[in-house]
Amino acid sequence: PRGTLTDEIDCAANCHTKGCHLLCHDDVIGTRKISFIIYLTDPSWTKEDGGALELYNHKDGIPNVFPSATILPTYNSLAYFGVNAGVSFHAVQEVMGRECGPRLSLQGWYHGRELPENMECATLSRLKTLEDDKEPFVPFIDTENNETGTERKLDETQTNVNDKEARTNVLSESDRNYLSQYMNETYLTESSMKEICDKFENESSVQLRH
């Protein structure tokens, strides 16, 4: 309705390379009112390149399993939709990474004067509720196929499922050594992990480049 938008606009450039995708969500954070995407992909982009915007119907605030419509990220096109808690469900298909390069877009939100209705139904609110109500954490135990057949267990401070404080972002030296086989050690420092956590909480996504 006229007069419900403010002058606040968020905008960011997105580059989805091969394998990138976004899971189903409704975009509701703060006063977001309208979501928009301007596609800057290669003009020859086709369905086989993936990366389509998927739109989902819902029942009682739960998105359907399959999308009701898909929209290709056609060059120089604009997609936009209203942001509504438990309603505006959408996702991005996996980018297949063929000869057309990455899925490029400018994406953001127009903001409203008030918070949307039914905030308790928003994707982020539901995730926080699940976090509060979930069963006690059971640490992962990795059995390595080495000559001795020994088992690598997480630090004992992480195995005490009854002590919440002992389970908060604690990585032992052996944990860091193990994880460094699969990711850049830069991301395993305390400062980097806090920065990554804050960014994900604020923006609902984070991209690690190395």
Side-chain angles (χ1 to χ4, degrees):
R2 183 185 296 274
T4 60
L5 295 180
T6 68
D7 293 333
E8 181 181 359
I9 302 173
D10 296 333
C11 187
N14 289 327
C15 177
H16 292 121
T17 56
K18 181 179 180 179
C20 289
H21 63 284
L22 288 178
L23 299 179
C24 188
H25 60 288
D26 60 13
D27 262 10
V28 174
I29 295 179
T31 57
R32 292 176 179 176
K33 187 76 171 179
I34 296 176
S35 179
F36 66 88
I37 314 102
I38 301 173
Y39 295 111
L40 303 174
T41 50
D42 188 288
S44 62
W45 195 280
T46 67
K47 180 179 179 181
E48 285 68 31
D49 294 302
L53 176 66
E54 299 178 328
L55 304 177
Y56 290 80
N57 286 327
H58 70 95
K59 181 178 181 180
D60 299 327
I62 305 299
N64 293 344
V65 175
F66 300 105
S68 57
T70 58
I71 302 173
L72 282 180
T74 305
Y75 175 74
N76 204 31
S77 65
L78 168 70
Y80 67 94
F81 52 86
V83 176
N84 297 287
V87 175
S88 53
F89 291 111
H90 60 285
V92 175
Q93 290 178 350
E94 180 180 355
V95 175
M96 304 311 294
R98 301 200 313 158
E99 299 299 324
C100 293
R103 178 187 188 271
L104 299 175
S105 64
L106 296 177
Q107 180 267 332
W109 300 271
Y110 289 93
H111 284 260
R113 299 187 183 280
E114 300 178 353
L115 292 174
E117 298 179 352
N118 304 316
M119 282 291 287
E120 70 280 0
C121 298
T123 305
L124 188 59
S125 297
R126 288 175 178 266
L127 288 174
K128 289 181 177 179
T129 300
L130 290 174
E131 180 71 19
D132 294 337
D133 296 341
K134 72 179 183 180
E135 296 295 322
F137 173 73
V138 178
F140 172 74
I141 299 177
D142 176 52
T143 302
E144 297 182 0
N145 295 319
N146 54 26
E147 293 181 357
T148 61
T150 58
E151 291 186 349
R152 174 189 171 278
K153 297 184 179 179
L154 298 179
D155 189 274
E156 290 182 357
T157 58
Q158 292 174 282
T159 62
N160 184 357
V161 297
N162 295 316
D163 187 349
K164 185 176 181 179
E165 292 184 355
R167 296 186 280 110
T168 56
N169 301 328
V170 178
L171 286 180
S172 68
E173 189 62 30
S174 61
D175 292 333
R176 296 178 196 276
N177 291 336
Y178 180 78
L179 291 172
S180 66
Q181 301 176 73
Y182 306 99
M183 61 190 304
N184 194 310
E185 294 182 6
T186 303
Y187 299 125
L188 299 177
T189 64
E190 295 296 333
S191 59
S192 292
M193 287 190 290
K194 183 180 185 305
E195 182 179 352
I196 293 169
C197 182
D198 290 343
K199 182 177 179 63
F200 187 80
E201 289 180 350
N202 292 329
E203 302 180 17
S204 299
S205 65
V206 63
Q207 181 176 358
L208 305 181
R209 297 185 178 277
H210 303 288

